[in-house]
Amino acid sequence: MDLQLKGKKALVMGASTGIGRAIAEALIAEGVQVMICARNEDKLKKAADHLHCQWISCDLSKAGEAKRVTQQAQEMMKGLDILVTNTGGPAKGNFLEISNQQWLEDYQSLWMSVVESLQVVLPQMKKNHFGRILLVTSLAAKEPLSGLTTSNGLRAGLAGLSKSIANEYAAFGVTLNLLLPGYTNTDRLKELKLSDEKVKQMVPAGRLGDPQELADLATFLASPRASYITGQSIAVDGGVLRGH
Ligand code: NAD
């Protein structure tokens, strides 16, 4: 299938490693001009060298950074057709362990960074009558994950916000969808040191996901071929979410 992605322009956030990087790589393989951003400049430069793409460093946990980086990408690339928002996962903690400071930090990085970058891209995508927006969130958007309190609250909220924006922009050729990674084999997950036994218990597919599996879906949703899919939260989780 020709995904008709050649020549499109994309900004992929949180793309020096893991899921973001896999999405950037998959888009580049389809002929998309990609700009990546992330916090750790050394890792970011290495990823950009490997992928042969442009990069800008940013810290999405700081107010105004998502706006700056999106504006910069839009200017440098003379427009953006595709925006993928993604960042590091939040700190763990049960409800009473989370300080107000932590709530504000996670609100900035998981919520406001998305709002800031949407404020930049939506007017131009509407004018162009084309736009593809993908928000990488988590299974926590549909089902709470134990000990990930801020993620459970903020990411469920993003699913509601995405419906609102999808409705408002569908008539202008702009789609917005949420990608919900399940247990995916990245640096973040390696820190959890899950045993094979535990993975088999938790995941009906009996294994961790590969970032490439999520990136394949992202690439399709980012393409003109996916023009009738919007406002959806799609899990790539080997069957972990049991509800419908
Ligand atoms: P990862 O740690 O491998 O990669 C995170 C990327 O985001 C890196 O490029 C990192 O530099 C960047 N980043 C981190 N903090 C940043 C900041 N403040 N500003 C800018 N960039 C920043 O993680 P991953 O596994 O690829 O996860 C990506 C997202 O998916 C996370 O939000 C995570 O919570 C979510 N998720 C992952 C899994 C999983 O199993 N891997 C499961 C559910 C949800």
Side-chain angles (χ1 to χ4, degrees):
M1 187 193 307
D2 175 9
L3 291 178
Q4 301 165 357
L5 273 165
K6 248 182 215 94
K8 298 274 186 231
K9 298 164 189 172
L11 170 64
V12 185
M13 297 177 153
S16 63
T17 57
I19 291 166
R21 179 175 166 147
I23 294 175
E25 192 159 15
L27 289 174
I28 290 167
E30 291 298 323
V32 177
Q33 185 190 341
V34 172
M35 169 91 69
I36 60 173
C37 74
R39 186 167 50 175
N40 181 317
E41 204 165 304
D42 286 343
K43 281 191 190 168
L44 184 61
K45 272 189 200 160
K46 270 190 199 133
D49 282 350
H50 180 80
L51 299 173
H52 303 292
C53 68
Q54 293 169 281
W55 59 274
I56 317 175
S57 63
C58 66
D59 183 348
L60 297 169
S61 66
K62 302 244 168 6
E65 277 285 273
K67 179 179 176 187
R68 174 188 66 81
V69 90
T70 312
Q71 280 175 335
Q72 227 172 310
Q74 201 165 252
E75 280 163 27
M76 286 166 75
M77 299 171 95
K78 300 192 172 36
L80 276 177
D81 304 295
I82 301 162
L83 169 72
V84 181
T85 69
N86 177 49
T87 187
K92 278 192 128 191
N94 291 323
F95 181 67
L96 291 179
E97 293 164 351
I98 314 258
S99 64
N100 287 2
Q101 185 57 32
Q102 186 66 51
W103 272 111
L104 291 173
E105 277 172 26
D106 290 352
Y107 174 65
Q108 181 60 46
S109 73
L110 297 184
W111 182 282
M112 281 312 294
S113 70
V114 174
V115 169
E116 285 178 17
S117 52
L118 290 179
Q119 285 168 338
V120 176
V121 296
L122 281 170
Q124 183 232 342
M125 287 180 173
K126 179 178 174 181
K127 203 164 138 210
N128 291 349
H129 259 262
F130 183 85
R132 294 285 179 269
I133 299 164
L134 298 172
L135 314 185
V136 177
T137 68
S138 168
L139 295 185
K142 282 207 173 174
E143 219 169 79
L145 297 174
S146 167
L148 282 169
T149 309
T150 60
S151 178
N152 294 336
L154 294 166
R155 283 171 154 163
L158 271 187
L161 175 66
S162 72
K163 278 284 181 195
S164 168
I165 294 169
N167 287 347
E168 202 178 323
Y169 283 85
F172 303 105
V174 179
T175 68
L176 187 153
N177 292 290
L178 270 73
L179 293 169
L180 280 44
Y183 296 95
T184 310
N185 199 5
T186 64
D187 292 351
R188 175 165 169 80
L189 202 81
K190 277 173 199 145
E191 285 165 20
L192 295 181
K193 295 194 173 79
L194 296 173
S195 66
D196 290 351
E197 211 42 54
K198 182 85 183 147
V199 170
K200 283 200 176 95
Q201 270 170 23
M202 292 190 309
V203 185
R207 63 172 178 86
L208 295 178
D210 188 301
Q212 179 66 45
E213 293 176 298
L214 195 127
D216 288 343
L217 175 64
T219 306
F220 176 70
L221 291 174
S223 78
R225 304 299 289 255
S227 54
Y228 210 52
I229 306 173
T230 192
Q232 301 306 306
S233 294
I234 307 176
V236 181
D237 69 347
V240 171
L241 285 183
R242 308 295 163 116
H244 51 76

